[in-house]
Amino acid sequence: MLSTYSKHFKPYNISIAQSLCERQHFSHRTQFLQLKETYEELWKNGVIPIANENDVVSNLELKFSDNDELATLLGVGFGASLILLGTSVPGVLDKDGNVIDTIESINNDVFSLANKNTSEVGLGGMISKLTFANLASTMGIKVVIFGVRTPDGILKAAKGESGTICTPKNCSISARNKWLASGSLVTGRLMVDAGASEAIKKEKACLLLV
């Protein structure tokens, strides 16, 4: 696959580099910042990193669900203003099969339009694309879901001339909090006694840590 990218970038004298990512590169803050610094250094030197999952060594329990997730984690973590998600259809389709130009809010009604099958060009289907488009747009990033078979599809999608635009929300949280909301894997357990359990059920209670 990398040779294909190289073939198409070579006429423009653009160098590329393969970036094999693992889920832990995003779940651990230190590793994530190192990854970000590496990408920024590549960009400074005119090199475009081609990101993909390192399937050979990735822990089965810590794998990316698909490339939609990887693209979103990169976009949110690195402060992108635009994410393009390619698919085998021209965009998000309504019940009549027409492309929806703009989606202001990705809610249950929008999810109900998605075909449950996976994409012909990747692991993730439209459900996946809408799920991660929702995350990215909530973090203030414009997302365009476009058809890879559309002539000049990437260029047109970047200009907002094809596909479905998922409108970004106003988001003023810090970069660290964006990482916590997207890339981090936070697990924990909260134990309460019987009295606290009853208080929680009343919904208006306030619990104090002791």
Side-chain angles (χ1 to χ4, degrees), residues 127-156:
I127 290 289
S128 171
K129 285 170 175 54
L130 288 172
T131 297
F132 291 109
N134 184 45
L135 172 60
S137 60
T138 301
M139 295 292 104
I141 301 175
K142 176 181 176 181
V143 180
V144 181
I145 300 174
F146 74 100
V148 296
R149 296 190 178 95
T150 301
D152 295 326
I154 293 178
L155 295 176
K156 290 181 179 178

Short mmCIF file of all heavy atoms in Angstrom, two decimals, residues 127-156:
data_model
loop_
_atom_site.label_atom_id
_atom_site.label_comp_id
_atom_site.label_asym_id
_atom_site.label_seq_id
_atom_site.Cartn_x
_atom_site.Cartn_y
_atom_site.Cartn_z
N ILE A 127 -22.28 3.50 10.13
CA ILE A 127 -22.47 3.66 11.57
C ILE A 127 -21.17 4.13 12.22
O ILE A 127 -21.16 5.04 13.06
CB ILE A 127 -22.93 2.33 12.23
CG1 ILE A 127 -24.36 1.99 11.81
CG2 ILE A 127 -22.81 2.42 13.74
CD1 ILE A 127 -25.41 2.89 12.41
N SER A 128 -20.07 3.50 11.83
CA SER A 128 -18.77 3.87 12.36
C SER A 128 -18.42 5.31 12.00
O SER A 128 -17.97 6.09 12.83
CB SER A 128 -17.68 2.92 11.84
OG SER A 128 -16.39 3.38 12.18
N LYS A 129 -18.64 5.66 10.74
CA LYS A 129 -18.29 7.01 10.29
C LYS A 129 -19.11 8.07 11.03
O LYS A 129 -18.59 9.12 11.43
CB LYS A 129 -18.48 7.12 8.78
CG LYS A 129 -17.35 6.41 8.02
CD LYS A 129 -17.63 6.29 6.56
CE LYS A 129 -16.40 5.68 5.86
NZ LYS A 129 -15.96 4.41 6.47
N LEU A 130 -20.38 7.81 11.24
CA LEU A 130 -21.22 8.75 11.96
C LEU A 130 -20.83 8.83 13.44
O LEU A 130 -20.86 9.90 14.04
CB LEU A 130 -22.69 8.35 11.83
CG LEU A 130 -23.32 8.58 10.46
CD1 LEU A 130 -24.72 7.96 10.40
CD2 LEU A 130 -23.38 10.07 10.13
N THR A 131 -20.45 7.68 14.00
CA THR A 131 -20.03 7.66 15.41
C THR A 131 -18.82 8.55 15.63
O THR A 131 -18.80 9.38 16.56
CB THR A 131 -19.71 6.23 15.85
OG1 THR A 131 -20.89 5.43 15.76
CG2 THR A 131 -19.19 6.20 17.29
N PHE A 132 -17.82 8.40 14.77
CA PHE A 132 -16.60 9.18 14.97
C PHE A 132 -16.72 10.60 14.43
O PHE A 132 -16.05 11.51 14.91
CB PHE A 132 -15.40 8.43 14.38
CG PHE A 132 -15.08 7.18 15.15
CD1 PHE A 132 -15.34 5.92 14.62
CD2 PHE A 132 -14.58 7.26 16.44
CE1 PHE A 132 -15.08 4.77 15.34
CE2 PHE A 132 -14.32 6.12 17.18
CZ PHE A 132 -14.57 4.87 16.64
N ALA A 133 -17.61 10.80 13.45
CA ALA A 133 -17.90 12.16 12.99
C ALA A 133 -18.58 12.93 14.12
O ALA A 133 -18.33 14.13 14.30
CB ALA A 133 -18.79 12.12 11.76
N ASN A 134 -19.40 12.24 14.88
CA ASN A 134 -20.06 12.88 16.01
C ASN A 134 -19.05 13.31 17.07
O ASN A 134 -19.11 14.42 17.60
CB ASN A 134 -21.08 11.90 16.62
CG ASN A 134 -21.87 12.53 17.75
OD1 ASN A 134 -22.35 13.65 17.64
ND2 ASN A 134 -22.03 11.80 18.84
N LEU A 135 -18.09 12.43 17.36
CA LEU A 135 -17.04 12.76 18.32
C LEU A 135 -16.22 13.94 17.84
O LEU A 135 -15.98 14.90 18.57
CB LEU A 135 -16.14 11.55 18.55
CG LEU A 135 -14.87 11.78 19.39
CD1 LEU A 135 -15.23 12.28 20.78
CD2 LEU A 135 -14.04 10.51 19.47
N ALA A 136 -15.78 13.89 16.59
CA ALA A 136 -14.93 14.95 16.04
C ALA A 136 -15.66 16.29 15.98
O ALA A 136 -15.11 17.33 16.35
CB ALA A 136 -14.43 14.56 14.65
N SER A 137 -16.91 16.28 15.52
CA SER A 137 -17.66 17.53 15.41
C SER A 137 -17.95 18.12 16.79
O SER A 137 -17.95 19.34 16.96
CB SER A 137 -18.97 17.32 14.64
OG SER A 137 -19.80 16.37 15.29
N THR A 138 -18.15 17.26 17.78
CA THR A 138 -18.33 17.73 19.16
C THR A 138 -17.07 18.41 19.66
O THR A 138 -17.13 19.35 20.47
CB THR A 138 -18.70 16.56 20.09
OG1 THR A 138 -19.91 15.95 19.62
CG2 THR A 138 -18.92 17.03 21.52
N MET A 139 -15.92 17.95 19.18
CA MET A 139 -14.64 18.55 19.57
C MET A 139 -14.28 19.76 18.70
O MET A 139 -13.16 20.25 18.75
CB MET A 139 -13.53 17.50 19.45
CG MET A 139 -13.65 16.32 20.40
SD MET A 139 -13.40 16.76 22.15
CE MET A 139 -15.10 16.72 22.71
N GLY A 140 -15.23 20.23 17.88
CA GLY A 140 -15.02 21.44 17.09
C GLY A 140 -14.39 21.24 15.73
O GLY A 140 -13.89 22.20 15.13
N ILE A 141 -14.41 20.01 15.21
CA ILE A 141 -13.79 19.72 13.91
C ILE A 141 -14.87 19.48 12.86
O ILE A 141 -15.82 18.74 13.09
CB ILE A 141 -12.88 18.48 14.00
CG1 ILE A 141 -11.79 18.69 15.05
CG2 ILE A 141 -12.26 18.16 12.64
CD1 ILE A 141 -10.92 17.46 15.29
N LYS A 142 -14.71 20.09 11.72
CA LYS A 142 -15.61 19.86 10.59
C LYS A 142 -15.28 18.50 9.98
O LYS A 142 -14.11 18.19 9.74
CB LYS A 142 -15.43 20.96 9.54
CG LYS A 142 -16.25 20.79 8.28
CD LYS A 142 -15.96 21.93 7.31
CE LYS A 142 -16.67 21.75 5.99
NZ LYS A 142 -16.36 22.87 5.04
N VAL A 143 -16.30 17.70 9.73
CA VAL A 143 -16.11 16.37 9.14
C VAL A 143 -16.92 16.28 7.86
O VAL A 143 -18.08 16.71 7.81
CB VAL A 143 -16.56 15.25 10.11
CG1 VAL A 143 -16.36 13.88 9.47
CG2 VAL A 143 -15.80 15.33 11.43
N VAL A 144 -16.29 15.73 6.82
CA VAL A 144 -16.99 15.49 5.56
C VAL A 144 -16.91 14.00 5.25
O VAL A 144 -15.82 13.43 5.14
CB VAL A 144 -16.39 16.30 4.40
CG1 VAL A 144 -17.19 16.02 3.12
CG2 VAL A 144 -16.40 17.79 4.70
N ILE A 145 -18.08 13.37 5.12
CA ILE A 145 -18.16 11.97 4.72
C ILE A 145 -18.43 11.96 3.22
O ILE A 145 -19.48 12.43 2.77
CB ILE A 145 -19.28 11.25 5.48
CG1 ILE A 145 -19.02 11.31 6.99
CG2 ILE A 145 -19.40 9.79 5.03
CD1 ILE A 145 -20.15 10.75 7.84
N PHE A 146 -17.47 11.47 2.44
CA PHE A 146 -17.56 11.61 0.99
C PHE A 146 -17.34 10.28 0.29
O PHE A 146 -16.83 9.32 0.87
CB PHE A 146 -16.54 12.63 0.49
CG PHE A 146 -15.12 12.12 0.51
CD1 PHE A 146 -14.51 11.67 -0.65
CD2 PHE A 146 -14.39 12.07 1.70
CE1 PHE A 146 -13.20 11.18 -0.63
CE2 PHE A 146 -13.10 11.58 1.73
CZ PHE A 146 -12.49 11.14 0.55
N GLY A 147 -17.71 10.23 -0.97
CA GLY A 147 -17.55 9.02 -1.77
C GLY A 147 -16.18 8.96 -2.43
O GLY A 147 -15.80 9.89 -3.14
N VAL A 148 -15.47 7.87 -2.22
CA VAL A 148 -14.13 7.74 -2.81
C VAL A 148 -14.19 7.53 -4.32
O VAL A 148 -13.19 7.69 -5.01
CB VAL A 148 -13.36 6.58 -2.15
CG1 VAL A 148 -13.11 6.86 -0.69
CG2 VAL A 148 -14.10 5.25 -2.32
N ARG A 149 -15.37 7.16 -4.84
CA ARG A 149 -15.51 6.96 -6.27
C ARG A 149 -15.89 8.24 -7.01
O ARG A 149 -15.95 8.26 -8.24
CB ARG A 149 -16.56 5.87 -6.55
CG ARG A 149 -16.17 4.49 -6.01
CD ARG A 149 -17.12 3.43 -6.53
NE ARG A 149 -16.73 2.11 -6.06
CZ ARG A 149 -17.23 1.51 -4.98
NH1 ARG A 149 -18.14 2.14 -4.27
NH2 ARG A 149 -16.83 0.31 -4.62
N THR A 150 -16.14 9.30 -6.27
CA THR A 150 -16.46 10.59 -6.89
C THR A 150 -15.20 11.16 -7.53
O THR A 150 -14.15 11.23 -6.88
CB THR A 150 -16.97 11.59 -5.83
OG1 THR A 150 -18.12 11.04 -5.20
CG2 THR A 150 -17.31 12.93 -6.47
N PRO A 151 -15.25 11.55 -8.80
CA PRO A 151 -14.06 12.15 -9.43
C PRO A 151 -13.56 13.35 -8.63
O PRO A 151 -14.35 14.21 -8.25
CB PRO A 151 -14.59 12.58 -10.81
CG PRO A 151 -15.73 11.65 -11.08
CD PRO A 151 -16.38 11.43 -9.75
N ASP A 152 -12.24 13.37 -8.36
CA ASP A 152 -11.65 14.42 -7.53
C ASP A 152 -12.36 14.53 -6.19
O ASP A 152 -12.54 15.62 -5.63
CB ASP A 152 -11.69 15.78 -8.25
CG ASP A 152 -10.85 15.80 -9.52
OD1 ASP A 152 -9.80 15.13 -9.54
OD2 ASP A 152 -11.25 16.47 -10.48
N GLY A 153 -12.77 13.37 -5.68
CA GLY A 153 -13.57 13.33 -4.45
C GLY A 153 -12.93 14.01 -3.26
O GLY A 153 -13.60 14.74 -2.53
N ILE A 154 -11.63 13.78 -3.06
CA ILE A 154 -10.95 14.37 -1.90
C ILE A 154 -10.91 15.88 -2.03
O ILE A 154 -11.21 16.61 -1.06
CB ILE A 154 -9.53 13.79 -1.76
CG1 ILE A 154 -9.59 12.31 -1.40
CG2 ILE A 154 -8.75 14.55 -0.70
CD1 ILE A 154 -8.23 11.65 -1.30
N LEU A 155 -10.56 16.39 -3.21
CA LEU A 155 -10.48 17.84 -3.40
C LEU A 155 -11.85 18.48 -3.24
O LEU A 155 -11.98 19.54 -2.60
CB LEU A 155 -9.92 18.14 -4.80
CG LEU A 155 -8.47 17.71 -5.06
CD1 LEU A 155 -8.10 18.01 -6.51
CD2 LEU A 155 -7.53 18.42 -4.10
N LYS A 156 -12.88 17.85 -3.81
CA LYS A 156 -14.22 18.41 -3.70
C LYS A 156 -14.73 18.36 -2.25
O LYS A 156 -15.39 19.30 -1.79
CB LYS A 156 -15.18 17.65 -4.63
CG LYS A 156 -14.94 17.92 -6.10
CD LYS A 156 -15.92 17.16 -6.97
CE LYS A 156 -15.70 17.46 -8.45
NZ LYS A 156 -16.63 16.69 -9.33
#
